[in-house]
Amino acid sequence: MHKFRNFKRSFSFLKSQSLTQSRFNERCYGNKLEEAIDVLCQQNRLNEAIELLHQIHRPSPRIYSTLIAACVRHRALQEGKMVHAHTKASEFVPGISISNRLLDLYSKCGSLGDAQKLFDEMIHRDLCSWNTMIAGYAKIGRLQQARKLFDEMPQRDNFSWNAVISGYVRHGCPWEALELFRSMQNHESSNSNKFTLSSALAASAAILCLRLGKEIHGYLTRTGLDSDEVVWSALLDLYGKCGSLNEARGIFYKMANKDVVSWTTMIHRCFEDGRKEEGFSLFRELMGSGIRPNEYTFAGVLNACAGHAVEHLGKEVHSYMVRIGCDPCSYAVSALVHLYSKCGNIENARRVFNQMPRPGLVSWTSLIAGYAQNGQPDEALRLFELLLRSGTKPDQVVLVGVLSACTDAGLVDKGLEYFHSIKEKHGLMHTADHYACVIDLLARSGWFKEAEDIIDKMPIKPDKFLWAALLGGCRIHGNLELAERAANALFEIAPEDPATYITLANIYANAGLWTEEAKVRKAVESRGIVKKPGKSWTEIKRQVHVFLVGDTSHSKICDIHAFLGEISKKMKEKGYIPDTNFVLRDVEEEQKEQNLVYHSEKLAVAFGIISTPPGTPIKVYKNLRTCVDCHTAMKYISKIVQRKIIVRDSNRFHYFEDGSCSCQDYW
């Protein structure tokens, strides 16, 4: 018996030794696998690492943490879910740290449903858990859920406040952001930092509340937080958006480390505020600062060049873009197409367009509109058909350009076909611009019944552009009854617009209804309505020369008047008869003719001719629509001086050459 007991004891000892060795071997094997997983994670071989995870009987918390961290780095949602599932299968109970990492993964990958489920399952949560959920919801715009968690959390830190406030700002709720910011200021345990204050400044900028922005600026100065670049950028944005450009510029020059975003913001603010010279000057400073402009800088400057018809600067920007190898698919290259189209250089616009490997819809739109405005409607329509064949889906904007091309060419049937295709073929809704274009097309062609049918049936309220288009067509064809309907609608929508009164008065005058014409002119005088003065400008040797109606301030005005006097005689010899129908009738006929001579585009064209060698094309820009007499006169002048004269009015380009115009007198 004694021997049996000793044997049993020895057997138990050997068995325990065997188990211990087995566990030891297993542990060694597991350690080697975990080391391999570490290496695979470092090499970004996540799937292989997870395969090894399944071979470990009881992975350590560290290896789970390593794998989840790698999934977070690579936003590997599916792999992260596999690791999470493994924790459950192995009956591992993660602590707060690993749970928070999983929350972070789900949140950053936009899988808020999984994050919320895990959050609800967590027995213990810390401040990081709450903040991760709040930031996740705020980031994707689910602000109600973010605010609900914020209100429920047991304690908050600056991150909690910032997450919700910045979420409100980012997703267009500035008032809610400022309300919460005020609550934070009243909270004893909270201290606003640069991120909070930057968000509050952004909210103030969004609602254009300069007073509140200045209050925050004062607080920043008192607390010494105004030296941070994040804060400087927010202040720059505030003052720029609120129209305080001088303050914005002061902030800009105080910034120690101006980056390309700051430069771009300041330059664009100048253009938006109408201070184009400052904008161009700042751009030149940027070019000499050593900081390379980005595509948004270029696009903003090029669009400003297009808007102000400053082609020479646009060409300089284009040259610089070529030198640095600008991405041919960038916004900036699209802006180049727009620039050349707006400046009447349609050849350069097409050249830039053809160099783009994959023209975007914006570029297609700019070129189509450019051809339409530059008197080549057939090419505009051909280009639109190419767009359709390229597989690019048109939008509502490009179809405005297509309808404009039909309008400029008087293609009524084709225009109506395109108008109906917007909804029937392309599945788009008609916009107010589409309706204005088709009414312009019909009214100019005298199709008034069809125009009225569309107006009466359209599902949206006609705007001022539609009524103005109809009124313009009535002026061409003398449709008095419909003109009064259009004018009355315009008097309600824009009672201070002088164009309506002037056009209606001219229609009455043309019809010999002098009593009605006098009433309209009296209404203009009694209401103090002032007609926008005609302004034309031309660029000679990179200097822009501006002329107003009857302008006598130019240094070459005597030479300009002398040229116009001589050319008027030659024009009359060729059969030119001044069109005085739309000049004030209480002025003598001779004075009427004299007034016509001094229209701004005639002054600009005359200056261009006397300032350039024979044969040089003349390009003039005008802020208003060119009048009938000036249009006729330009045809005569182009033939007499043997020059190509290009006039861009508020509607389109007119190319006058050898006595004819590209618009074929249809504008």
Side-chain angles (χ1 to χ4, degrees), residues 68 80-81 84-85 87-88 92-107 111-125 129 132-133 137:
I68 297 167
K81 285 185 174 183
H84 189 187
T87 64
K88 294 180 178 180
F92 172 77
V93 180
I96 289 180
S97 177
I98 290 178
S99 294
N100 283 346
R101 285 204 167 182
L102 282 167
L103 284 179
D104 190 36
L105 169 71
Y106 289 137
S107 175
S111 187
L112 270 298
D114 290 309
Q116 185 66 58
K117 183 179 178 183
L118 173 60
F119 183 79
D120 293 338
E121 291 171 354
M122 290 171 66
I123 300 170
H124 301 291
R125 305 168 186 144
S129 315
T132 301
M133 289 301 302
Y137 278 127

Side-chain angles (χ1 to χ4, degrees), residues 412-610:
V412 180
D413 291 330
K414 193 73 174 172
L416 286 172
E417 181 185 329
Y418 279 123
F419 176 75
H420 293 302
S421 76
I422 291 172
K423 191 172 182 180
E424 295 168 4
K425 181 178 178 181
H426 303 298
L428 300 169
M429 297 297 293
H430 287 116
T431 67
D433 289 335
H434 296 147
Y435 281 109
C437 283
V438 77
I439 295 304
D440 193 18
L441 169 66
L442 294 170
R444 282 202 218 179
S445 302
W447 290 38
F448 292 112
K449 183 181 182 306
E450 290 79 2
E452 281 194 283
D453 285 344
I454 288 177
I455 292 172
D456 292 338
K457 293 175 183 176
M458 60 189 287
I460 58 176
K461 188 175 181 181
D463 64 8
K464 64 178 182 179
F465 301 105
L466 182 149
W467 290 118
L470 183 63
L471 185 61
C474 292
R475 179 188 62 80
I476 295 170
H477 297 282
N479 189 325
L480 188 59
E481 182 182 349
L482 199 51
E484 289 176 336
R485 178 187 175 186
N488 288 331
L490 284 165
F491 290 148
E492 288 185 15
I493 298 171
E496 302 303 315
D497 187 352
T500 307
Y501 296 90
I502 293 165
T503 304
L504 184 61
N506 288 336
I507 292 171
Y508 282 138
N510 228 25
L513 301 172
W514 302 112
T515 303
E516 284 77 3
E517 186 255 8
K519 287 179 182 177
V520 175
R521 294 197 180 277
K522 188 175 180 180
V524 171
E525 293 172 8
S526 64
R527 296 180 186 183
I529 297 170
V530 180
K531 181 188 176 185
K532 187 178 182 180
K535 180 175 74 171
S536 298
W537 63 97
T538 187
E539 185 181 314
I540 305 293
K541 295 179 181 178
R542 296 196 171 190
Q543 184 177 352
V544 176
H545 298 261
V546 181
F547 298 88
L548 298 175
V549 177
D551 195 357
T552 58
S553 63
H554 197 275
S555 60
K556 296 282 187 182
I557 196 64
C558 292
D559 296 335
I560 292 169
H561 283 181
F563 173 83
L564 287 173
E566 287 297 318
I567 203 74
S568 292
K569 292 176 186 176
K570 293 178 181 178
M571 287 161 59
K572 287 179 180 178
E573 290 171 3
K574 298 285 186 181
Y576 164 71
I577 301 172
D579 188 338
T580 60
N581 285 335
F582 300 133
V583 183
L584 291 175
R585 68 183 180 89
D586 54 350
V587 175
E588 295 295 328
E589 195 67 26
E590 186 178 342
Q591 184 60 47
K592 287 182 181 182
E593 291 187 20
Q594 192 71 10
N595 289 347
L596 289 172
V597 170
Y598 300 131
H599 277 192
S600 63
E601 58 263 59
K602 287 177 182 169
L603 297 173
V605 166
F607 173 70
I609 291 171
I610 66 174

Side-chain angles (χ1 to χ4, degrees), residues 76 83 136-137 192 196 240 260 264 270 284 326 377 391 440 474 558-559 575 579 604:
V83 176
Y137 278 127
S192 300
T196 324
V260 67
T264 301
C270 288
R284 292 188 182 96
C326 191
D440 193 18
C474 292
C558 292
D559 296 335
D579 188 338

Side-chain angles (χ1 to χ4, degrees), residues 232-295:
W232 283 125
S233 296
L235 283 168
L236 179 63
D237 194 49
L238 166 80
Y239 286 118
K241 283 183 177 175
C242 290
S244 296
L245 207 61
N246 292 333
E247 285 89 344
R249 193 152 187 172
I251 293 292
F252 177 74
Y253 281 115
K254 286 180 183 177
M255 296 174 72
N257 300 308
K258 303 179 189 70
D259 60 9
V260 67
V261 176
S262 307
W263 280 97
T264 301
T265 301
M266 192 66 224
I267 290 167
H268 288 188
R269 290 284 173 258
C270 288
F271 290 136
E272 287 172 359
D273 204 49
R275 292 158 71 163
K276 66 168 185 174
E277 293 305 328
E278 284 186 50
F280 291 136
S281 174
L282 269 176
F283 178 68
R284 292 188 182 96
E285 281 186 49
L286 169 60
M287 298 287 279
S289 70
I291 297 173
R292 177 179 286 195
N294 62 23
E295 62 176 297

Side-chain angles (χ1 to χ4, degrees), residues 7 17 167 177 213 225 234 274 288 296 306 312 396 399 403 414 491 516 573 581 595 615 639:
F7 172 78
Q17 284 290 93
L225 289 170
Y296 301 103
H312 77 269
Q396 293 163 319
L399 285 155
L403 290 174
K414 193 73 174 172
F491 290 148
E516 284 77 3
E573 290 171 3
N581 285 335
N595 289 347
K639 189 173 183 66

Side-chain angles (χ1 to χ4, degrees), residues 262-366:
S262 307
W263 280 97
T264 301
T265 301
M266 192 66 224
I267 290 167
H268 288 188
R269 290 284 173 258
C270 288
F271 290 136
E272 287 172 359
D273 204 49
R275 292 158 71 163
K276 66 168 185 174
E277 293 305 328
E278 284 186 50
F280 291 136
S281 174
L282 269 176
F283 178 68
R284 292 188 182 96
E285 281 186 49
L286 169 60
M287 298 287 279
S289 70
I291 297 173
R292 177 179 286 195
N294 62 23
E295 62 176 297
Y296 301 103
T297 322
F298 288 133
V301 173
L302 289 168
N303 285 330
C305 291
H308 297 286
V310 188
E311 187 179 358
H312 77 269
L313 180 57
K315 285 183 174 179
E316 289 178 20
V317 176
H318 187 184
S319 298
Y320 181 80
M321 289 166 61
V322 171
R323 287 199 303 274
I324 66 172
C326 191
D327 180 2
C329 297
S330 69
Y331 292 113
V333 177
S334 294
L336 272 174
V337 178
H338 178 62
L339 162 77
Y340 287 126
S341 296
K342 291 289 284 184
C343 290
N345 194 337
I346 200 68
E347 296 81 9
N348 268 8
R350 186 59 182 263
R351 193 174 296 116
V352 172
F353 180 86
N354 288 341
Q355 291 169 356
M356 300 175 75
R358 295 178 305 279
L361 189 55
V362 173
S363 302
W364 283 99
T365 302
S366 295

